[in-house]
Amino acid sequence: MVREKVTIISKEGLHARPADTLIKLTNQFVSKIEIVCGEDKTINAKSILHVLGAGIDCGAEVEVVCNGEDEQEASKTIVQAIKDGLDE
């Protein structure tokens, strides 16, 4: 299991466009990928409904958790995409 914290920099947070970019990215990997936001909210990062429903705003610190055979590559790729603003 790989865990890494990252701050959301997309201006509108994880709204429709960056969430869609994130979902397309996470679904390229076999590993289970979750986003932990706050102390008690863990969401499936491969589900557009979960990501949008989480209401993650700009400036929020989240933890990307990857578990599976390609977890290292998944974590590195996803965290870098978030740091880059998810194409926004």
Side-chain angles (χ1 to χ4, degrees), residues 27-76:
N27 279 302
Q28 294 176 8
F29 298 99
V30 175
S31 293
K32 179 179 179 182
I33 303 169
E34 296 176 320
I35 296 176
V36 179
C37 39
E39 292 182 22
D40 61 346
K41 190 186 291 185
T42 301
I43 61 167
N44 177 356
K46 293 185 176 187
S47 167
I48 191 74
L49 294 177
H50 288 185
V51 172
L52 290 174
I56 302 172
D57 295 323
C58 180
E61 184 178 69
V62 298
E63 187 172 30
V64 177
V65 181
C66 302
N67 190 8
E69 63 187 66
D70 56 359
E71 62 190 24
Q72 295 288 337
E73 182 184 353
S75 178
K76 181 180 175 183

Short mmCIF file of all heavy atoms in Angstrom, two decimals, residues 27-76:
data_model
loop_
_atom_site.label_atom_id
_atom_site.label_comp_id
_atom_site.label_asym_id
_atom_site.label_seq_id
_atom_site.Cartn_x
_atom_site.Cartn_y
_atom_site.Cartn_z
N ASN A 27 -8.54 5.02 -13.70
CA ASN A 27 -9.04 3.79 -14.31
C ASN A 27 -8.04 3.14 -15.26
O ASN A 27 -8.30 2.04 -15.77
CB ASN A 27 -10.37 4.07 -15.02
CG ASN A 27 -11.51 4.07 -14.03
OD1 ASN A 27 -11.75 3.08 -13.34
ND2 ASN A 27 -12.21 5.19 -13.93
N GLN A 28 -6.88 3.75 -15.44
CA GLN A 28 -5.82 3.12 -16.23
C GLN A 28 -5.03 2.10 -15.41
O GLN A 28 -4.27 1.33 -15.96
CB GLN A 28 -4.84 4.19 -16.74
CG GLN A 28 -5.43 5.14 -17.73
CD GLN A 28 -4.44 6.23 -18.12
OE1 GLN A 28 -3.27 6.19 -17.77
NE2 GLN A 28 -4.92 7.19 -18.88
N PHE A 29 -5.26 2.10 -14.11
CA PHE A 29 -4.49 1.24 -13.21
C PHE A 29 -5.36 0.13 -12.63
O PHE A 29 -6.56 0.29 -12.46
CB PHE A 29 -3.88 2.07 -12.07
CG PHE A 29 -2.92 3.11 -12.57
CD1 PHE A 29 -3.31 4.42 -12.73
CD2 PHE A 29 -1.62 2.75 -12.91
CE1 PHE A 29 -2.43 5.37 -13.21
CE2 PHE A 29 -0.73 3.69 -13.40
CZ PHE A 29 -1.13 5.01 -13.55
N VAL A 30 -4.72 -0.99 -12.32
CA VAL A 30 -5.39 -2.15 -11.75
C VAL A 30 -5.62 -1.96 -10.25
O VAL A 30 -6.62 -2.42 -9.70
CB VAL A 30 -4.55 -3.43 -12.00
CG1 VAL A 30 -5.16 -4.64 -11.32
CG2 VAL A 30 -4.38 -3.67 -13.49
N SER A 31 -4.72 -1.27 -9.61
CA SER A 31 -4.77 -1.08 -8.15
C SER A 31 -6.07 -0.43 -7.70
O SER A 31 -6.68 0.35 -8.44
CB SER A 31 -3.61 -0.19 -7.69
OG SER A 31 -2.38 -0.84 -7.88
N LYS A 32 -6.43 -0.71 -6.46
CA LYS A 32 -7.53 -0.01 -5.81
C LYS A 32 -6.99 1.36 -5.44
O LYS A 32 -5.91 1.48 -4.85
CB LYS A 32 -7.96 -0.77 -4.55
CG LYS A 32 -9.08 -0.10 -3.79
CD LYS A 32 -9.46 -0.92 -2.57
CE LYS A 32 -10.58 -0.23 -1.81
NZ LYS A 32 -10.94 -1.00 -0.60
N ILE A 33 -7.71 2.41 -5.80
CA ILE A 33 -7.25 3.77 -5.55
C ILE A 33 -8.34 4.53 -4.81
O ILE A 33 -9.48 4.58 -5.25
CB ILE A 33 -6.88 4.49 -6.87
CG1 ILE A 33 -5.82 3.68 -7.62
CG2 ILE A 33 -6.39 5.92 -6.59
CD1 ILE A 33 -5.56 4.14 -9.03
N GLU A 34 -7.94 5.10 -3.68
CA GLU A 34 -8.88 5.86 -2.85
C GLU A 34 -8.30 7.22 -2.54
O GLU A 34 -7.09 7.42 -2.57
CB GLU A 34 -9.16 5.12 -1.54
CG GLU A 34 -9.83 3.79 -1.72
CD GLU A 34 -10.02 3.04 -0.42
OE1 GLU A 34 -9.10 3.06 0.42
OE2 GLU A 34 -11.09 2.44 -0.26
N ILE A 35 -9.19 8.15 -2.23
CA ILE A 35 -8.79 9.47 -1.77
C ILE A 35 -9.38 9.65 -0.38
O ILE A 35 -10.57 9.48 -0.17
CB ILE A 35 -9.29 10.58 -2.72
CG1 ILE A 35 -8.62 10.42 -4.09
CG2 ILE A 35 -9.01 11.96 -2.12
CD1 ILE A 35 -9.12 11.40 -5.13
N VAL A 36 -8.51 9.99 0.55
CA VAL A 36 -8.92 10.25 1.92
C VAL A 36 -8.94 11.76 2.10
O VAL A 36 -7.94 12.43 1.88
CB VAL A 36 -7.96 9.60 2.94
CG1 VAL A 36 -8.40 9.90 4.36
CG2 VAL A 36 -7.87 8.10 2.70
N CYS A 37 -10.11 12.27 2.44
CA CYS A 37 -10.24 13.71 2.67
C CYS A 37 -10.87 13.91 4.04
O CYS A 37 -11.89 13.32 4.34
CB CYS A 37 -11.04 14.39 1.57
SG CYS A 37 -12.44 13.48 0.94
N GLY A 38 -10.21 14.68 4.85
CA GLY A 38 -10.67 14.83 6.22
C GLY A 38 -10.32 13.59 7.02
O GLY A 38 -9.58 12.72 6.56
N GLU A 39 -10.84 13.52 8.20
CA GLU A 39 -10.52 12.40 9.08
C GLU A 39 -11.41 11.18 8.86
O GLU A 39 -11.03 10.07 9.20
CB GLU A 39 -10.64 12.83 10.54
CG GLU A 39 -9.57 13.83 10.93
CD GLU A 39 -9.67 14.22 12.38
OE1 GLU A 39 -10.25 13.44 13.18
OE2 GLU A 39 -9.18 15.30 12.72
N ASP A 40 -12.57 11.40 8.26
CA ASP A 40 -13.53 10.29 8.20
C ASP A 40 -14.13 10.04 6.82
O ASP A 40 -15.10 9.31 6.70
CB ASP A 40 -14.65 10.54 9.20
CG ASP A 40 -15.43 11.82 8.91
OD1 ASP A 40 -14.94 12.64 8.12
OD2 ASP A 40 -16.51 11.99 9.50
N LYS A 41 -13.54 10.62 5.78
CA LYS A 41 -14.13 10.44 4.46
C LYS A 41 -13.11 9.79 3.52
O LYS A 41 -12.07 10.37 3.22
CB LYS A 41 -14.56 11.78 3.87
CG LYS A 41 -15.39 11.64 2.60
CD LYS A 41 -15.69 12.97 1.94
CE LYS A 41 -16.64 13.80 2.74
NZ LYS A 41 -17.03 15.04 2.04
N THR A 42 -13.42 8.57 3.08
CA THR A 42 -12.59 7.86 2.11
C THR A 42 -13.47 7.54 0.92
O THR A 42 -14.54 6.96 1.06
CB THR A 42 -12.03 6.55 2.72
OG1 THR A 42 -11.25 6.87 3.87
CG2 THR A 42 -11.17 5.81 1.71
N ILE A 43 -12.99 7.96 -0.27
CA ILE A 43 -13.80 7.76 -1.47
C ILE A 43 -13.06 6.92 -2.50
O ILE A 43 -11.83 6.90 -2.55
CB ILE A 43 -14.23 9.10 -2.09
CG1 ILE A 43 -13.00 9.91 -2.51
CG2 ILE A 43 -15.11 9.88 -1.15
CD1 ILE A 43 -13.32 11.09 -3.39
N ASN A 44 -13.83 6.25 -3.34
CA ASN A 44 -13.30 5.48 -4.45
C ASN A 44 -12.90 6.46 -5.55
O ASN A 44 -13.75 7.13 -6.13
CB ASN A 44 -14.38 4.51 -4.95
CG ASN A 44 -13.96 3.72 -6.15
OD1 ASN A 44 -12.89 3.90 -6.72
ND2 ASN A 44 -14.82 2.81 -6.57
N ALA A 45 -11.60 6.55 -5.85
CA ALA A 45 -11.11 7.51 -6.83
C ALA A 45 -11.38 7.08 -8.27
O ALA A 45 -11.03 7.79 -9.20
CB ALA A 45 -9.62 7.74 -6.64
N LYS A 46 -12.02 5.94 -8.45
CA LYS A 46 -12.37 5.48 -9.80
C LYS A 46 -13.85 5.74 -10.11
O LYS A 46 -14.32 5.38 -11.18
CB LYS A 46 -12.06 3.99 -9.95
CG LYS A 46 -10.56 3.70 -9.90
CD LYS A 46 -10.26 2.24 -10.16
CE LYS A 46 -8.76 2.00 -10.20
NZ LYS A 46 -8.44 0.64 -10.61
N SER A 47 -14.56 6.37 -9.18
CA SER A 47 -15.99 6.64 -9.34
C SER A 47 -16.24 8.13 -9.45
O SER A 47 -15.99 8.88 -8.51
CB SER A 47 -16.76 6.08 -8.15
OG SER A 47 -18.08 6.58 -8.14
N ILE A 48 -16.76 8.57 -10.59
CA ILE A 48 -17.06 9.99 -10.79
C ILE A 48 -18.07 10.48 -9.76
O ILE A 48 -17.96 11.60 -9.26
CB ILE A 48 -17.51 10.28 -12.24
CG1 ILE A 48 -17.57 11.79 -12.53
CG2 ILE A 48 -18.85 9.64 -12.55
CD1 ILE A 48 -16.24 12.45 -12.70
N LEU A 49 -19.04 9.66 -9.42
CA LEU A 49 -20.05 10.06 -8.44
C LEU A 49 -19.44 10.26 -7.06
O LEU A 49 -19.79 11.21 -6.36
CB LEU A 49 -21.18 9.03 -8.37
CG LEU A 49 -22.04 8.92 -9.63
CD1 LEU A 49 -23.08 7.82 -9.47
CD2 LEU A 49 -22.70 10.23 -9.96
N HIS A 50 -18.52 9.40 -6.67
CA HIS A 50 -17.87 9.54 -5.37
C HIS A 50 -16.99 10.78 -5.33
O HIS A 50 -17.01 11.52 -4.34
CB HIS A 50 -17.05 8.30 -5.04
CG HIS A 50 -17.86 7.10 -4.72
ND1 HIS A 50 -17.31 5.92 -4.31
CD2 HIS A 50 -19.20 6.89 -4.76
CE1 HIS A 50 -18.26 5.03 -4.10
NE2 HIS A 50 -19.42 5.60 -4.37
N VAL A 51 -16.23 11.00 -6.40
CA VAL A 51 -15.32 12.15 -6.44
C VAL A 51 -16.11 13.46 -6.42
O VAL A 51 -15.82 14.36 -5.63
CB VAL A 51 -14.38 12.08 -7.66
CG1 VAL A 51 -13.57 13.35 -7.79
CG2 VAL A 51 -13.44 10.86 -7.53
N LEU A 52 -17.13 13.56 -7.25
CA LEU A 52 -17.93 14.79 -7.28
C LEU A 52 -18.70 14.97 -5.97
O LEU A 52 -18.83 16.08 -5.46
CB LEU A 52 -18.90 14.78 -8.46
CG LEU A 52 -18.26 14.92 -9.85
CD1 LEU A 52 -19.31 14.76 -10.93
CD2 LEU A 52 -17.54 16.26 -9.98
N GLY A 53 -19.21 13.89 -5.44
CA GLY A 53 -19.99 13.94 -4.21
C GLY A 53 -19.18 14.31 -2.98
O GLY A 53 -19.73 14.77 -1.98
N ALA A 54 -17.87 14.14 -3.05
CA ALA A 54 -17.03 14.46 -1.89
C ALA A 54 -16.89 15.96 -1.68
O ALA A 54 -16.57 16.40 -0.58
CB ALA A 54 -15.65 13.83 -2.07
N GLY A 55 -17.12 16.74 -2.72
CA GLY A 55 -17.05 18.19 -2.58
C GLY A 55 -15.68 18.69 -2.16
O GLY A 55 -15.56 19.50 -1.24
N ILE A 56 -14.65 18.22 -2.81
CA ILE A 56 -13.28 18.58 -2.45
C ILE A 56 -12.92 19.92 -3.10
O ILE A 56 -12.94 20.05 -4.32
CB ILE A 56 -12.29 17.48 -2.88
CG1 ILE A 56 -12.68 16.15 -2.21
CG2 ILE A 56 -10.86 17.88 -2.54
CD1 ILE A 56 -11.91 14.95 -2.70
N ASP A 57 -12.61 20.90 -2.27
CA ASP A 57 -12.34 22.26 -2.72
C ASP A 57 -10.86 22.52 -2.97
O ASP A 57 -10.00 21.78 -2.47
CB ASP A 57 -12.84 23.27 -1.68
CG ASP A 57 -14.34 23.24 -1.51
OD1 ASP A 57 -15.05 23.06 -2.51
OD2 ASP A 57 -14.81 23.40 -0.36
N CYS A 58 -10.58 23.60 -3.68
CA CYS A 58 -9.22 24.06 -3.90
C CYS A 58 -8.57 24.32 -2.54
O CYS A 58 -9.19 24.88 -1.63
CB CYS A 58 -9.23 25.34 -4.73
SG CYS A 58 -7.58 26.00 -5.04
N GLY A 59 -7.34 23.89 -2.41
CA GLY A 59 -6.61 24.08 -1.15
C GLY A 59 -6.75 22.93 -0.18
O GLY A 59 -6.05 22.88 0.83
N ALA A 60 -7.66 22.00 -0.46
CA ALA A 60 -7.85 20.86 0.44
C ALA A 60 -6.65 19.91 0.35
O ALA A 60 -6.15 19.63 -0.73
CB ALA A 60 -9.12 20.09 0.07
N GLU A 61 -6.20 19.44 1.49
CA GLU A 61 -5.14 18.43 1.50
C GLU A 61 -5.82 17.06 1.55
O GLU A 61 -6.66 16.81 2.41
CB GLU A 61 -4.21 18.59 2.70
CG GLU A 61 -3.07 17.58 2.65
CD GLU A 61 -2.09 17.75 3.80
OE1 GLU A 61 -2.50 17.45 4.94
OE2 GLU A 61 -0.96 18.17 3.54
N VAL A 62 -5.47 16.22 0.60
CA VAL A 62 -6.03 14.87 0.54
C VAL A 62 -4.88 13.87 0.55
O VAL A 62 -3.73 14.22 0.32
CB VAL A 62 -6.89 14.67 -0.74
CG1 VAL A 62 -8.07 15.62 -0.75
CG2 VAL A 62 -6.08 14.80 -2.00
N GLU A 63 -5.24 12.62 0.81
CA GLU A 63 -4.25 11.55 0.77
C GLU A 63 -4.68 10.56 -0.31
O GLU A 63 -5.81 10.08 -0.30
CB GLU A 63 -4.16 10.86 2.13
CG GLU A 63 -3.04 9.86 2.20
CD GLU A 63 -2.85 9.33 3.62
OE1 GLU A 63 -3.83 9.26 4.39
OE2 GLU A 63 -1.72 8.98 3.94
N VAL A 64 -3.78 10.30 -1.24
CA VAL A 64 -4.02 9.32 -2.29
C VAL A 64 -3.50 7.98 -1.78
O VAL A 64 -2.33 7.88 -1.37
CB VAL A 64 -3.31 9.72 -3.60
CG1 VAL A 64 -3.51 8.64 -4.66
CG2 VAL A 64 -3.82 11.06 -4.09
N VAL A 65 -4.36 6.96 -1.78
CA VAL A 65 -4.00 5.64 -1.28
C VAL A 65 -4.17 4.64 -2.41
O VAL A 65 -5.26 4.49 -2.97
CB VAL A 65 -4.89 5.23 -0.08
CG1 VAL A 65 -4.48 3.87 0.44
CG2 VAL A 65 -4.84 6.28 1.02
N CYS A 66 -3.07 3.98 -2.77
CA CYS A 66 -3.08 2.99 -3.85
C CYS A 66 -2.66 1.64 -3.28
O CYS A 66 -1.68 1.56 -2.53
CB CYS A 66 -2.12 3.39 -4.96
SG CYS A 66 -2.47 5.01 -5.68
N ASN A 67 -3.39 0.60 -3.67
CA ASN A 67 -3.11 -0.74 -3.17
C ASN A 67 -3.31 -1.75 -4.28
O ASN A 67 -4.42 -1.93 -4.77
CB ASN A 67 -4.02 -1.05 -1.97
CG ASN A 67 -3.62 -2.31 -1.25
OD1 ASN A 67 -2.57 -2.90 -1.53
ND2 ASN A 67 -4.45 -2.74 -0.32
N GLY A 68 -2.22 -2.38 -4.71
CA GLY A 68 -2.32 -3.39 -5.76
C GLY A 68 -1.02 -3.54 -6.51
O GLY A 68 0.01 -2.97 -6.15
N GLU A 69 -1.08 -4.29 -7.58
CA GLU A 69 0.14 -4.66 -8.29
C GLU A 69 0.86 -3.49 -8.96
O GLU A 69 2.07 -3.55 -9.15
CB GLU A 69 -0.14 -5.76 -9.31
CG GLU A 69 -1.10 -5.36 -10.42
CD GLU A 69 -1.48 -6.54 -11.31
OE1 GLU A 69 -2.13 -7.46 -10.81
OE2 GLU A 69 -1.09 -6.51 -12.49
N ASP A 70 0.17 -2.44 -9.31
CA ASP A 70 0.82 -1.27 -9.93
C ASP A 70 0.72 -0.02 -9.05
O ASP A 70 0.71 1.10 -9.53
CB ASP A 70 0.26 -1.00 -11.33
CG ASP A 70 -1.24 -0.82 -11.35
OD1 ASP A 70 -1.89 -0.91 -10.28
OD2 ASP A 70 -1.80 -0.59 -12.45
N GLU A 71 0.69 -0.24 -7.73
CA GLU A 71 0.45 0.84 -6.78
C GLU A 71 1.51 1.95 -6.83
O GLU A 71 1.19 3.12 -6.69
CB GLU A 71 0.33 0.30 -5.36
CG GLU A 71 1.56 -0.39 -4.84
CD GLU A 71 1.34 -1.12 -3.53
OE1 GLU A 71 0.21 -1.50 -3.19
OE2 GLU A 71 2.36 -1.32 -2.84
N GLN A 72 2.77 1.59 -7.02
CA GLN A 72 3.83 2.60 -7.06
C GLN A 72 3.64 3.55 -8.25
O GLN A 72 3.68 4.77 -8.10
CB GLN A 72 5.21 1.93 -7.15
CG GLN A 72 5.59 1.12 -5.94
CD GLN A 72 5.92 1.98 -4.74
OE1 GLN A 72 6.28 3.14 -4.86
NE2 GLN A 72 5.81 1.41 -3.56
N GLU A 73 3.44 2.98 -9.41
CA GLU A 73 3.25 3.78 -10.62
C GLU A 73 1.96 4.60 -10.53
O GLU A 73 1.92 5.77 -10.91
CB GLU A 73 3.22 2.89 -11.86
CG GLU A 73 3.08 3.67 -13.14
CD GLU A 73 2.96 2.79 -14.37
OE1 GLU A 73 3.12 1.56 -14.27
OE2 GLU A 73 2.69 3.34 -15.45
N ALA A 74 0.91 3.98 -10.02
CA ALA A 74 -0.38 4.67 -9.89
C ALA A 74 -0.24 5.88 -8.97
O ALA A 74 -0.67 6.98 -9.31
CB ALA A 74 -1.44 3.71 -9.35
N SER A 75 0.37 5.69 -7.82
CA SER A 75 0.52 6.79 -6.87
C SER A 75 1.34 7.92 -7.47
O SER A 75 0.94 9.09 -7.40
CB SER A 75 1.19 6.28 -5.59
OG SER A 75 1.38 7.34 -4.69
N LYS A 76 2.45 7.59 -8.05
CA LYS A 76 3.33 8.61 -8.65
C LYS A 76 2.60 9.41 -9.72
O LYS A 76 2.64 10.64 -9.75
CB LYS A 76 4.56 7.93 -9.24
CG LYS A 76 5.55 8.88 -9.86
CD LYS A 76 6.74 8.13 -10.43
CE LYS A 76 7.66 9.09 -11.17
NZ LYS A 76 8.78 8.41 -11.79
#
